[in-house]
């Protein structure tokens, strides 16, 4: 297939120069640092020249008017949550419109977001609220906000600092605060970009981690000013997949990745389609090596733009199909990618677990899910790179196998064979375990 006239370098540069609007939800349990975090985020980004809008917490506005939620009868609690969601969406829309009208880069900080309302009603009641208001969960969770940051309550790990003083609407004791925190975190399971800021450090470092994780997701280089950037880590998981009951609360999504044609070895371009029950979101990602650094730009797409770019699919790559399972464990947000057919034989049965962490390898080991059979960390290993996994040819025969993004002709046959052997070793372990224990498959 001939490469059509689409300049990916120009697209990447245009996206980086484009005026940015970043819609951030700051959520969490009581006394987690949201108020201070909002103020510090505002100051930080205003100093960078951004316009910052702070959307007030709708529940605090309503509860501050004399409402005692615990005293309401069940039907009134249901109606309160429905009205809260409607009011929240309208208030947010007002601030989103102001951001659209601004000529400056804008950060919109939402003090809690749409899905937080779901933490106070049953699943059946939440679905009824969505239906009555013609809302779709994918739209109001995944497509509405760019990033979710959960500030863990001080009642988990920093109990000596937990207080309900000087807060008119905070009435929770320690146990209730912990429960509220867990429910608030689980409400956002499924959003593609969730960061959990826990209490494994002092409060100043916690706030710096908040600012750093937002800047990182936005693609803003802040150097070592905060020095707490989380790094993505990836682990190979041996099969079989545990039964659903072994997992904490989770959401499964259908995910398809398509690699597009590029004119240079220093650049990769791919499309991602992600969703469930027929409702999808679309992202175009361009990765480029520049000045010894990796630059990655993600652009949300409409279905029309996605379909247009799909014409540029690289025939040397197969479509990557996965089930992506999102869940919380040990105050950590995990994504488990379960590769599914149609796929290259090298991907059959493959499972890769990803998350972000600021911890060292030794410290993070205890955070890994105990119910999964973790084989080894594979962060940065080309044998588990999606670009290489999607190659149509066998790696040893392919000139496109990528050890690193580089101008050089990267034809290290020995290194490629070693990568193949590492992947095969994981497959052999999984096959042996599955034969002895049986397997389970996710169903969406």
């Amino acid at each position: 297939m001939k490469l059509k006239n689409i300049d990916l370098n120009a697209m990447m540069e245009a996206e980086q120069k484009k005026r940015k609007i970043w819609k951030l939800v700051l959520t969490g349990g009581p006394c987690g640092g949201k108020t201070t975090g909002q103020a510090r985020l505002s100051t930080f980004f205003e100093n960078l020249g951004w316009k910052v809008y702070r959307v007030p917490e709708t529940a605090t506005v309503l509860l501050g008017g004399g409402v005692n939620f615990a005293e309401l009868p069940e039907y009134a609690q249901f109606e309160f949550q429905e009205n809260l969601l409607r009011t929240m969406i309208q208030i947010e829309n007002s601030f989103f419109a102001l951001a659209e009208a601004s000529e400056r880069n804008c950060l919109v900080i939402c003090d809690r977001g749409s899905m937080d309302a779901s933490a106070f009603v049953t699943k059946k009641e939440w679905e009824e609220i969505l239906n009555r208001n013609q809302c779709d969960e994918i739209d109001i969770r995944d497509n509405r906000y760019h990033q979710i940051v959960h500030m863990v309550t001080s009642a988990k790990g920093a109990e000596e600092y937990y207080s309900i003083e000087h807060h008119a609407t905070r009435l929770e004791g320690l146990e209730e605060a912990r429960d509220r925190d867990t429910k608030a975190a689980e409400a956002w399971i499924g959003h593609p970009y969730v960061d959990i800021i826990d209490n494994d450090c002092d409060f100043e470092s916690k706030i710096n981690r908040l600012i750093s994780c937002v800047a990182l997701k936005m693609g803003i280089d802040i150097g070592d000013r905060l020095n707490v950037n989380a790094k993505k880590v990836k682990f190979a998981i041996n099969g079989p997949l545990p039964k659903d009951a072994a997992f904490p609360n989770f959401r499964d999504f259908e995910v398809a990745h398509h690699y597009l044609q590029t004119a240079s070895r220093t650049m990769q371009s791919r499309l991602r389609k992600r969703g469930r029950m027929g409702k999808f979101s679309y992202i175009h990602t361009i990765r480029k090596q520049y000045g010894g650094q990796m630059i990655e730009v993600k652009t949300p797409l409409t279905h029309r733009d996605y379909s247009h770019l799909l014409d540029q699919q690289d025939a040397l790559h197969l479509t990557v199909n996965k089930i992506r399972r999102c869940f919380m464990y040990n105050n950590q947000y995990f994504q488990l990618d379960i590769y599914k057919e149609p796929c290259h034989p090298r991907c059959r049965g493959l499972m890769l677990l990803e998350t972000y962490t600021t911890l060292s390898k030794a410290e993070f080991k205890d955070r890994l899910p105990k119910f999964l059979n973790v084989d080894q960390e594979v962060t940065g290993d080309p044998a588990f790179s999606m670009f290489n996994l999607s190659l149509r040819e066998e790696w040893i025969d392919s000139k496109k196998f990528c050890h690193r993004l580089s101008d050089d002709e990267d034809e290290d046959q020995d290194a490629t064979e070693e990568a193949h052997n590492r992947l095969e070793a994981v497959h052999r372990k999984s096959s042996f375990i599955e034969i002895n224990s049986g397997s389970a498959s996710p169903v969406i």
Side-chain angles (χ1 to χ4, degrees), residues 160-171:
E160 64 271 29
Y161 298 107
Y162 183 78
S163 172
I164 61 175
E165 293 180 11
H166 311 302
H167 199 295
T169 61
R170 182 181 296 155
L171 305 171

Side-chain angles (χ1 to χ4, degrees), residues 8-9 260-269 287-290 294 314 316-317 387-388 391 395 398-412 416:
L8 291 175
N9 273 308
L260 307 184
Q261 302 170 63
T262 60
S264 169
R265 293 182 66 90
T266 63
M267 180 181 291
Q268 294 176 1
S269 174
R287 301 176 74 229
K288 183 181 179 181
Q289 184 76 260
Y290 183 78
M294 179 68 66
D314 190 338
L316 298 178
H317 289 263
F387 180 89
N388 291 329
L391 286 171
W395 289 347
S398 176
K399 293 185 177 182
K400 290 203 71 176
F401 186 92
C402 180
H403 294 280
R404 61 194 175 279
L405 284 179
S406 169
D407 275 326
D408 304 328
E409 288 297 322
D410 205 1
E411 295 186 25
D412 188 334
T416 302

